[in-house]
Amino acid sequence: MTLISDTDTPLLASKARVRWDPIRQKHLLLFPEGLLILNQTAHEVITMCDGKHKVNIIVNSLADKYKTDVDADIRELLSRLVEKRLLLLLE
């Protein structure tokens, strides 16, 4: 698993796109090899992966919104996306 630092700045890879699927009524992460169906929280995380928000900002923002500890879940999602080469980590 890729180690995700507080100071990393995630950026969605150019080959990946977020789209709304009107049939499933869910957001999708589309990429050449397939797609991922996103839940609301995953969509919010990926939306913030714009090359401007550091990981600690993403974690704190969603922790405040949901009033719970989301740190491990967000880091796991980011790590998996990095491993699939759907996300870049800028320093």
Side-chain angles (χ1 to χ4, degrees), residues 35-47:
L35 65 89
L36 295 173
I37 300 172
L38 305 174
N39 64 25
Q40 182 62 34
T41 309
H43 176 253
E44 290 181 51
V45 170
I46 290 172
T47 300

Side-chain angles (χ1 to χ4, degrees), residues 21-79:
D21 182 351
I23 295 170
R24 291 183 179 100
Q25 295 291 300
K26 299 240 182 218
H27 285 96
L28 306 175
L29 181 61
L30 304 174
F31 51 96
E33 301 86 22
L35 65 89
L36 295 173
I37 300 172
L38 305 174
N39 64 25
Q40 182 62 34
T41 309
H43 176 253
E44 290 181 51
V45 170
I46 290 172
T47 300
M48 295 183 77
C49 293
D50 57 5
K52 298 176 185 172
H53 296 90
K54 294 194 180 299
V55 170
N56 64 334
I57 300 298
I58 297 170
V59 168
N60 291 338
S61 175
L62 294 177
D64 288 346
K65 179 176 182 175
Y66 291 107
K67 306 292 186 226
T68 190
D69 182 13
V70 294
D71 187 83
D73 293 335
I74 289 175
R75 289 176 196 276
E76 181 179 347
L77 172 62
L78 296 176
S79 178

